[in-house]
Every structure is written in C-alpha cells, then in structure tokens.
C-alpha cells in the first residue's frame, strides 16, 4: 500500500507541476485589458485553499464529526505551540519560493516575446535583463526549496502528526508571510484596484493547481522522500519543455538541454533501480 501511494503521489506531482508551469506562464504573459493579477495575492489565496482542503480531509478522517475535528485541531495545533512553530521556517521558505516562481516565469518568458520598442538595442537589453532576473529567481528558489524540503521531511517522519495537520500548520504561517508580502510590495496596488484585481478563470486554475501542489508535495515527502520529489520535479520540467516545443512552439531546445534531460532520466532510473541479489553459486 505504501509503495502504491509513493508512486501515485509522484505521478500526480509530475502532472501537477507540468500543468502549473504551463498555465502560470501563459497567465503571466497573456495580454488583457486592465491590470494583471498580483502574484503575491495568488500565493496567499493558494495557501488559504490548501488550509481549507486539509481541514476537510481531517474532517473526513474524524468520521465527519465536527466535535472530533475541533478536538483534533485543538489538541494537535493549539496545545502544541512548539511543534506548530517548527513549521514557520519551511513555510516562510516555501512562500518565498512560490513568489519567485511567478517572478521567474514572468521574466524568463518575456525574453521569448517581441517587446514593442523603438530600437533593436533596447529590446536586446530588456531581454537580457529579464533573463538575468528570471535566472536569479530560479537559482534562489532551487536552493531554498532543497533546504525546506529536507527540513519538512525531517519533521514529517519524526512525528506522528498526520500530513494534513502539518499542512494546516504550514499553510497558516504561509498565509501570514504571504499577507506580509502583499502589504509590503503590493499594498498600494491592492488599495487602488482591490485584492482580486486581474483575476479570471485562468488565474483561479493557477491558484488551485498551486494549492494542490502543496498537498501533493507533502504526500510525496511523507511516503517517498525529498530526493525522489526532486527527480519528479525535474521530469516535469522536461515534460513542460517538450510540450512547449511540440505543442506551444515557443521554445527551441539546445544540445545542453538534451544533455541535461538525459542525465535527469538516467539519475531517476538509477535511483529507483533495485537490482536482484545475486544467487550463491552452486558448488560442483
């Protein structure tokens, strides 16, 4: 049963990450009238949806009893403040990572579009600047994700609390950190155009996929490990790029990309390969 959950959660993670990257990229580059939605508010809404989903799952595990749900939340969260505070560190890092993902996709993709400009030189400078900002966002997200993943795995596997309770704690701090980011960076825009400015059907799809990602990642770390989660994410990057090339036709892979793809696939195979033990040779 554990092995089935392991590979099921990994498969869902690959699908979720691929869908999220493609829809998020499209939503951040789509030209529409009016203000574009704020990535900081999308991160907060995703955290709130994740909390709601986890509360429903705990309610289901509590045999659909509101009294039992209230007792579980009170005993596992309010009565264990130090255990809850442990989630503040990975939560803050995950919130930063989610915001950086929007920054990376917004800037890296901008380089593939023809920006209106009076001169070709200005366009090249803007493209190079966008690529640099996007690259820095990706690198920062990678390093922070690795640390947060290992820390979260340690917490999940060393305690008996359910993964859904841990996600509620994670989402609680994530919402607080996210709201702080909204106030600091986009407070003026929110007061002018509202918290849900620029939201449309595609934006809500992105938000739901991001909330789903938090649940799936927690399940992967619980039933597999953080290393395998990294491989699943790498596979989704390759899948996203292939879709971009063959379907969206907005990316041309290079030899370096193919080399990286081969290395990722080989590493995934070697990590999951379980060689059969050699039998003892029979003596004549």
């Amino acid at each position: 049963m554990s092995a089935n959950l392991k590979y099921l959660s990994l498969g869902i993670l690959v699908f979720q990450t691929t869908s999220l990257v493609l829809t998020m990229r499209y939503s951040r580059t789509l030209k529409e009238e009016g203000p574009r939605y704020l990535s900081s508010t999308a991160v907060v809404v995703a955290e709130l949806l994740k909390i709601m989903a986890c509360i429903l799952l705990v309610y289901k595990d509590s045999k659909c009893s509101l009294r039992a749900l209230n007792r579980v939340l009170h005993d596992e969260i309010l009565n264990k403040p130090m255990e809850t505070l442990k989630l503040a560190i990975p939560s803050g890092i995950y919130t930063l990572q989610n915001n950086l993902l929007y920054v990376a996709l917004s800037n890296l993709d901008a380089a593939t579009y023809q920006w209106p400009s009076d001169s070709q030189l200005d366009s090249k400078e803007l493209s190079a600047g966008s690529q640099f900002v996007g690259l820095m966002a990706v690198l920062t997200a990678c390093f922070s994700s690795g640390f947060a993943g290992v820390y979260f795995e340690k917490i999940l596997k060393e305690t008996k609390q359910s993964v859904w309770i841990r996600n509620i704690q994670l989402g609680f701090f994530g919402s607080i950190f996210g709201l702080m980011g909204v106030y600091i960076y986009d407070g003026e825009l929110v007061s002018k155009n509202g918290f849900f400015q620029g939201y449309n059907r595609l934006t809500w799809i992105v938000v739901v996929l991001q909330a789903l990602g938090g649940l799936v990642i927690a399940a992967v770390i619980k039933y597999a490990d953080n290393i395998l989660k990294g491989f699943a994410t790498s596979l989704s990057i390759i899948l996203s790029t292939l879709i971009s090339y063959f379907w969206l036709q907005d990316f041309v892979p290079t030899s370096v990309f193919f080399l990286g793809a081969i290395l990722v696939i080989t590493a995934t195979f070697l990590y999951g390969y379980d060689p059969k033990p050699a039998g003892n040779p029979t003596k004549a």
Side-chain angles (χ1 to χ4, degrees):
M1 183 65 179
S2 179
N4 292 335
L5 289 174
K6 173 181 176 180
Y7 291 108
L8 176 63
S9 58
L10 284 172
I12 295 176
L13 178 60
V14 173
F15 171 78
Q16 178 271 336
T17 307
T18 303
S19 303
L20 176 62
V21 169
L22 293 175
T23 53
M24 186 183 293
R25 183 177 62 182
Y26 182 68
S27 70
R28 298 303 289 174
T29 56
L30 183 65
K31 303 295 183 181
E32 286 190 339
E33 295 183 359
R36 187 169 62 174
Y37 75 93
L38 301 174
S39 59
S40 58
T41 63
V43 170
V44 173
V45 175
E47 292 294 334
L48 294 176
L49 288 178
K50 185 173 69 173
I51 293 175
M52 293 171 58
C54 289
I55 291 177
L56 288 176
L57 289 169
V58 175
Y59 175 70
K60 179 178 178 296
D61 292 340
S62 302
K63 299 180 180 180
C64 300
S65 170
L66 289 176
R67 180 176 298 179
L69 171 64
N70 181 66
R71 184 174 62 252
V72 169
L73 295 179
H74 190 272
D75 293 343
E76 297 295 333
I77 298 178
L78 297 180
N79 285 352
K80 297 179 180 179
M82 296 309 298
E83 288 293 322
T84 301
L85 282 174
K86 288 181 180 179
L87 274 297
I89 296 176
S91 177
I93 297 175
Y94 280 135
T95 303
L96 172 65
Q97 176 191 340
N98 289 333
N99 279 282
L100 288 174
L101 181 58
Y102 282 99
V103 174
L105 288 175
S106 299
N107 286 279
L108 286 176
D109 293 332
T112 64
Y113 286 80
Q114 292 295 328
W115 285 81
S117 177
D118 294 332
S119 67
Q120 187 176 4
L121 179 60
D122 291 337
S123 180
K124 290 181 178 179
E125 289 176 350
L126 179 59
S127 177
S130 297
Q131 287 182 332
F132 178 78
V133 172
L135 180 60
M136 290 300 101
V138 168
L139 290 176
T140 306
C142 288
F143 284 110
S144 61
S145 175
F147 173 77
V150 172
Y151 187 93
F152 190 43
E153 179 182 357
K154 181 177 183 294
I155 293 176
L156 279 178
K157 294 188 175 181
E158 287 186 352
T159 60
K160 296 182 179 180
Q161 285 182 313
S162 73
V163 65
W164 311 128
I165 292 292
R166 287 304 193 185
N167 256 294
I168 293 173
Q169 297 168 324
L170 205 64
F172 172 74
F173 288 110
S175 301
I176 294 176
F177 291 133
L179 287 172
M180 290 171 59
V182 172
Y183 177 77
I184 295 172
Y185 297 105
D186 297 318
E188 185 176 346
L189 291 174
V190 170
S191 62
K192 180 180 179 181
N193 299 316
F195 190 87
F196 294 101
Q197 60 179 284
Y199 275 58
N200 52 32
R201 184 178 301 177
L202 182 61
T203 308
W204 283 107
I205 292 175
V206 171
V207 169
V208 170
L209 284 173
Q210 194 167 29
L212 175 64
L215 303 177
V216 177
I217 287 175
V220 169
I221 293 176
K222 176 69 174 180
Y223 298 109
D225 55 47
N226 190 58
I227 297 177
L228 207 55
K229 186 211 84 172
F231 285 137
T233 305
S234 300
L235 287 173
S236 72
I237 293 173
I238 295 174
L239 181 60
S240 300
T241 309
L242 292 176
I243 293 175
S244 296
Y245 176 70
F246 289 106
W247 185 23
L248 302 179
Q249 298 180 352
D250 62 352
F251 176 77
V252 178
T254 63
S255 57
V256 176
F257 167 79
F258 283 114
L259 176 62
I262 292 172
L263 290 175
V264 169
I265 294 173
T266 303
T268 305
F269 172 77
L270 292 176
Y271 183 81
Y273 179 65
D274 187 16
K276 296 180 180 180
N280 294 326
T282 57
K283 296 182 179 180

